[in-house]
Short mmCIF file of all heavy atoms in Angstrom, two decimals:
data_model
loop_
_atom_site.label_atom_id
_atom_site.label_comp_id
_atom_site.label_asym_id
_atom_site.label_seq_id
_atom_site.Cartn_x
_atom_site.Cartn_y
_atom_site.Cartn_z
N TRP V 186 -34.91 19.81 20.77
CA TRP V 186 -34.88 20.13 22.17
C TRP V 186 -35.81 21.26 22.57
O TRP V 186 -36.55 21.22 23.55
CB TRP V 186 -33.45 20.49 22.57
CG TRP V 186 -33.35 20.98 24.02
CD1 TRP V 186 -33.24 20.18 25.12
CD2 TRP V 186 -33.37 22.32 24.51
NE1 TRP V 186 -33.18 20.96 26.25
CE2 TRP V 186 -33.30 22.27 25.91
CE3 TRP V 186 -33.49 23.61 23.91
CZ2 TRP V 186 -33.27 23.43 26.66
CZ3 TRP V 186 -33.54 24.68 24.65
CH2 TRP V 186 -33.41 24.64 26.04
N TYR V 187 -35.92 22.29 21.69
CA TYR V 187 -36.71 23.47 22.00
C TYR V 187 -38.16 23.15 22.08
O TYR V 187 -38.94 23.68 22.91
CB TYR V 187 -36.40 24.60 20.97
CG TYR V 187 -36.97 25.88 21.32
CD1 TYR V 187 -36.29 26.72 22.26
CD2 TYR V 187 -38.13 26.41 20.78
CE1 TYR V 187 -36.79 28.00 22.58
CE2 TYR V 187 -38.59 27.65 21.10
CZ TYR V 187 -37.92 28.44 21.97
OH TYR V 187 -38.39 29.70 22.32
N ARG V 188 -38.63 22.19 21.20
CA ARG V 188 -40.02 21.83 21.20
C ARG V 188 -40.44 21.25 22.52
O ARG V 188 -41.57 21.39 22.94
CB ARG V 188 -40.28 20.85 20.06
CG ARG V 188 -40.45 21.44 18.69
CD ARG V 188 -41.11 20.55 17.72
NE ARG V 188 -40.33 19.29 17.54
CZ ARG V 188 -39.44 19.11 16.68
NH1 ARG V 188 -39.15 20.01 15.77
NH2 ARG V 188 -38.83 17.90 16.56
N LYS V 189 -39.57 20.57 23.18
CA LYS V 189 -39.83 19.87 24.40
C LYS V 189 -39.43 20.63 25.63
O LYS V 189 -39.70 20.20 26.74
CB LYS V 189 -39.16 18.47 24.42
CG LYS V 189 -39.66 17.56 23.28
CD LYS V 189 -38.86 16.27 23.25
CE LYS V 189 -39.31 15.41 22.05
NZ LYS V 189 -38.56 14.16 22.04
N ALA V 190 -38.73 21.75 25.46
CA ALA V 190 -38.20 22.50 26.59
C ALA V 190 -39.33 23.12 27.33
O ALA V 190 -40.36 23.51 26.78
CB ALA V 190 -37.23 23.58 26.12
N ARG V 191 -39.14 23.34 28.65
CA ARG V 191 -40.12 24.03 29.48
C ARG V 191 -40.13 25.54 29.12
O ARG V 191 -39.12 26.04 28.63
CB ARG V 191 -39.75 23.85 30.94
CG ARG V 191 -39.77 22.40 31.42
CD ARG V 191 -39.65 22.31 32.92
NE ARG V 191 -38.52 23.11 33.44
CZ ARG V 191 -37.30 22.56 33.58
NH1 ARG V 191 -37.11 21.28 33.20
NH2 ARG V 191 -36.27 23.26 34.02
N PRO V 192 -41.27 26.17 29.37
CA PRO V 192 -41.38 27.56 29.05
C PRO V 192 -40.24 28.41 29.71
O PRO V 192 -39.72 29.36 29.12
CB PRO V 192 -42.73 28.01 29.61
CG PRO V 192 -43.54 26.71 29.53
CD PRO V 192 -42.59 25.61 29.81
N ALA V 193 -39.88 28.04 30.90
CA ALA V 193 -38.82 28.78 31.60
C ALA V 193 -37.46 28.61 30.91
O ALA V 193 -36.67 29.53 30.78
CB ALA V 193 -38.68 28.26 33.02
N GLU V 194 -37.22 27.39 30.39
CA GLU V 194 -36.01 27.14 29.62
C GLU V 194 -35.99 27.90 28.30
O GLU V 194 -34.92 28.41 27.85
CB GLU V 194 -35.82 25.63 29.38
CG GLU V 194 -35.61 24.78 30.61
CD GLU V 194 -35.59 23.35 30.35
OE1 GLU V 194 -36.39 22.88 29.52
OE2 GLU V 194 -34.70 22.62 30.94
N GLN V 195 -37.12 27.96 27.65
CA GLN V 195 -37.22 28.71 26.40
C GLN V 195 -36.99 30.26 26.66
O GLN V 195 -36.27 30.90 25.96
CB GLN V 195 -38.54 28.51 25.76
CG GLN V 195 -38.78 27.13 25.30
CD GLN V 195 -40.13 26.88 24.65
OE1 GLN V 195 -41.01 27.81 24.72
NE2 GLN V 195 -40.37 25.79 24.00
N ALA V 196 -37.62 30.77 27.72
CA ALA V 196 -37.55 32.18 28.05
C ALA V 196 -36.11 32.53 28.42
O ALA V 196 -35.65 33.67 28.14
CB ALA V 196 -38.47 32.53 29.17
N ALA V 197 -35.34 31.59 29.02
CA ALA V 197 -34.00 31.93 29.45
C ALA V 197 -33.07 32.16 28.28
O ALA V 197 -31.97 32.73 28.47
CB ALA V 197 -33.45 30.81 30.31
N LEU V 198 -33.44 31.74 27.08
CA LEU V 198 -32.60 31.98 25.91
C LEU V 198 -32.82 33.32 25.22
O LEU V 198 -32.16 33.61 24.19
CB LEU V 198 -32.90 30.85 24.90
CG LEU V 198 -32.57 29.45 25.36
CD1 LEU V 198 -33.05 28.42 24.36
CD2 LEU V 198 -31.10 29.24 25.65
N ARG V 199 -33.78 34.10 25.70
CA ARG V 199 -34.10 35.40 25.02
C ARG V 199 -33.26 36.52 25.60
O ARG V 199 -33.14 36.66 26.81
CB ARG V 199 -35.58 35.70 25.18
CG ARG V 199 -36.49 34.79 24.33
CD ARG V 199 -37.94 35.08 24.60
NE ARG V 199 -38.78 34.28 23.72
CZ ARG V 199 -39.33 34.70 22.59
NH1 ARG V 199 -39.09 35.95 22.21
NH2 ARG V 199 -40.12 33.91 21.84
N TRP V 200 -32.70 37.36 24.72
CA TRP V 200 -31.98 38.49 25.13
C TRP V 200 -32.90 39.65 25.49
O TRP V 200 -33.97 39.83 24.91
CB TRP V 200 -31.09 39.02 23.99
CG TRP V 200 -29.88 38.19 23.80
CD1 TRP V 200 -29.22 37.43 24.70
CD2 TRP V 200 -29.06 38.08 22.59
NE1 TRP V 200 -28.09 36.85 24.16
CE2 TRP V 200 -28.01 37.21 22.82
CE3 TRP V 200 -29.22 38.69 21.30
CZ2 TRP V 200 -27.09 36.93 21.86
CZ3 TRP V 200 -28.29 38.41 20.30
CH2 TRP V 200 -27.23 37.54 20.59
N SER V 201 -32.51 40.39 26.50
CA SER V 201 -33.11 41.72 26.72
C SER V 201 -32.10 42.74 26.19
O SER V 201 -30.95 42.43 25.91
CB SER V 201 -33.42 41.97 28.18
OG SER V 201 -32.21 42.02 28.93
N LEU V 202 -32.50 44.02 26.11
CA LEU V 202 -31.52 45.03 25.72
C LEU V 202 -30.35 45.18 26.67
O LEU V 202 -29.21 45.38 26.20
CB LEU V 202 -32.26 46.41 25.54
CG LEU V 202 -31.68 47.44 24.61
CD1 LEU V 202 -31.47 46.90 23.22
CD2 LEU V 202 -32.50 48.69 24.57
N ASP V 203 -30.59 44.93 27.91
CA ASP V 203 -29.54 44.99 28.92
C ASP V 203 -28.57 43.83 28.73
O ASP V 203 -27.35 43.98 29.02
CB ASP V 203 -30.09 44.92 30.34
CG ASP V 203 -30.83 46.26 30.72
OD1 ASP V 203 -30.53 47.24 30.07
OD2 ASP V 203 -31.64 46.21 31.61
N ASP V 204 -29.03 42.67 28.25
CA ASP V 204 -28.15 41.53 28.01
C ASP V 204 -27.18 41.87 26.83
O ASP V 204 -26.06 41.33 26.81
CB ASP V 204 -28.95 40.30 27.66
CG ASP V 204 -29.73 39.84 28.86
OD1 ASP V 204 -29.31 39.99 29.97
OD2 ASP V 204 -30.90 39.34 28.61
N VAL V 205 -27.63 42.64 25.90
CA VAL V 205 -26.86 42.87 24.67
C VAL V 205 -25.98 44.13 24.79
O VAL V 205 -24.92 44.14 24.20
CB VAL V 205 -27.82 43.05 23.45
CG1 VAL V 205 -27.11 43.46 22.22
CG2 VAL V 205 -28.58 41.75 23.21
N MET V 206 -26.40 45.07 25.57
CA MET V 206 -25.64 46.38 25.60
C MET V 206 -24.85 46.51 26.92
O MET V 206 -25.29 45.94 27.97
CB MET V 206 -26.58 47.57 25.48
CG MET V 206 -27.40 47.51 24.16
SD MET V 206 -28.10 49.14 23.77
CE MET V 206 -26.64 50.01 23.27
N ALA V 207 -23.75 47.18 26.87
CA ALA V 207 -22.98 47.42 28.09
C ALA V 207 -23.78 48.24 29.04
O ALA V 207 -24.65 49.03 28.66
CB ALA V 207 -21.66 48.10 27.72
N GLY V 208 -23.47 48.16 30.28
CA GLY V 208 -24.21 48.88 31.32
C GLY V 208 -24.25 50.35 31.12
O GLY V 208 -23.25 50.97 30.79
N GLY V 209 -25.44 50.92 31.26
CA GLY V 209 -25.59 52.37 31.23
C GLY V 209 -25.66 52.89 29.75
O GLY V 209 -25.61 54.11 29.60
N ALA V 210 -25.66 52.05 28.76
CA ALA V 210 -25.59 52.46 27.40
C ALA V 210 -27.03 52.64 26.86
O ALA V 210 -27.39 52.16 25.84
CB ALA V 210 -24.88 51.50 26.54
N GLY V 211 -27.85 53.41 27.57
CA GLY V 211 -29.18 53.62 27.11
C GLY V 211 -29.29 54.64 26.06
O GLY V 211 -28.34 55.19 25.56
N LEU V 212 -30.53 55.02 25.72
CA LEU V 212 -30.73 56.02 24.57
C LEU V 212 -31.83 56.96 24.99
O LEU V 212 -32.89 56.54 25.46
CB LEU V 212 -31.14 55.25 23.33
CG LEU V 212 -31.46 56.24 22.13
CD1 LEU V 212 -30.18 56.91 21.65
CD2 LEU V 212 -32.00 55.39 20.97
N ASP V 213 -31.53 58.23 24.90
CA ASP V 213 -32.46 59.30 25.17
C ASP V 213 -33.38 59.43 23.89
O ASP V 213 -32.87 59.91 22.87
CB ASP V 213 -31.81 60.62 25.48
CG ASP V 213 -32.77 61.75 25.84
OD1 ASP V 213 -34.03 61.44 25.76
OD2 ASP V 213 -32.34 62.83 26.09
N ALA V 214 -34.63 59.01 23.99
CA ALA V 214 -35.50 59.05 22.82
C ALA V 214 -35.67 60.48 22.28
O ALA V 214 -35.77 60.65 21.09
CB ALA V 214 -36.83 58.41 23.16
N LYS V 215 -35.61 61.46 23.13
CA LYS V 215 -35.73 62.84 22.66
C LYS V 215 -34.53 63.32 21.90
O LYS V 215 -34.61 64.13 21.06
CB LYS V 215 -36.01 63.75 23.91
CG LYS V 215 -37.40 63.54 24.54
CD LYS V 215 -37.59 64.53 25.65
CE LYS V 215 -38.93 64.27 26.35
NZ LYS V 215 -39.17 65.18 27.50
N ALA V 216 -33.40 62.77 22.28
CA ALA V 216 -32.14 63.17 21.59
C ALA V 216 -32.04 62.60 20.17
O ALA V 216 -31.50 63.23 19.32
CB ALA V 216 -30.92 62.77 22.40
N PHE V 217 -32.66 61.42 20.02
CA PHE V 217 -32.56 60.79 18.72
C PHE V 217 -34.00 60.30 18.34
O PHE V 217 -34.36 59.14 18.37
CB PHE V 217 -31.67 59.55 18.70
CG PHE V 217 -30.21 60.01 19.06
CD1 PHE V 217 -29.74 59.93 20.34
CD2 PHE V 217 -29.36 60.36 18.03
CE1 PHE V 217 -28.43 60.29 20.66
CE2 PHE V 217 -28.05 60.73 18.31
CZ PHE V 217 -27.58 60.67 19.65
N PRO V 218 -34.85 61.29 17.94
CA PRO V 218 -36.27 60.92 17.70
C PRO V 218 -36.43 60.09 16.45
O PRO V 218 -35.54 60.05 15.57
CB PRO V 218 -36.92 62.30 17.49
CG PRO V 218 -35.80 63.18 16.97
CD PRO V 218 -34.60 62.69 17.72
N ALA V 219 -37.51 59.29 16.37
CA ALA V 219 -37.81 58.49 15.22
C ALA V 219 -38.33 59.29 14.08
O ALA V 219 -38.30 58.83 12.95
CB ALA V 219 -38.82 57.39 15.61
N ALA V 220 -38.83 60.52 14.37
CA ALA V 220 -39.37 61.36 13.30
C ALA V 220 -39.07 62.84 13.63
O ALA V 220 -38.94 63.16 14.80
CB ALA V 220 -40.88 61.12 13.14
N LEU V 221 -38.96 63.61 12.61
CA LEU V 221 -38.74 65.03 12.71
C LEU V 221 -40.11 65.71 12.54
O LEU V 221 -40.71 65.58 11.48
CB LEU V 221 -37.76 65.53 11.68
CG LEU V 221 -37.20 66.96 11.89
CD1 LEU V 221 -36.39 67.02 13.19
CD2 LEU V 221 -36.22 67.29 10.71
N GLU V 222 -40.60 66.33 13.59
CA GLU V 222 -41.94 66.90 13.52
C GLU V 222 -41.84 68.38 13.11
O GLU V 222 -41.18 69.18 13.73
CB GLU V 222 -42.58 66.76 14.90
CG GLU V 222 -42.85 65.33 15.31
CD GLU V 222 -43.83 65.22 16.45
OE1 GLU V 222 -44.62 66.12 16.61
OE2 GLU V 222 -43.81 64.12 17.14
N MET V 223 -42.55 68.66 12.03
CA MET V 223 -42.70 70.04 11.54
C MET V 223 -44.16 70.24 11.27
O MET V 223 -44.57 70.08 10.08
CB MET V 223 -41.86 70.24 10.28
CG MET V 223 -40.33 70.03 10.55
SD MET V 223 -39.39 70.30 9.01
CE MET V 223 -37.79 69.63 9.51
N PRO V 224 -44.94 70.51 12.29
CA PRO V 224 -46.40 70.55 12.11
C PRO V 224 -46.86 71.30 10.83
O PRO V 224 -46.28 72.40 10.59
CB PRO V 224 -46.91 71.23 13.37
CG PRO V 224 -45.77 70.93 14.39
CD PRO V 224 -44.49 70.94 13.62
#
Side-chain angles (χ1 to χ4, degrees):
W186 175 83
Y187 192 79
R188 281 196 301 268
K189 300 176 181 178
R191 298 190 305 272
E194 292 175 321
Q195 294 180 348
L198 298 174
R199 289 176 176 261
W200 284 336
S201 67
L202 203 56
D203 289 338
D204 294 325
V205 173
M206 303 198 71
L212 178 67
D213 182 359
K215 294 182 180 178
F217 298 94
L221 193 63
E222 296 195 23
M223 300 180 192

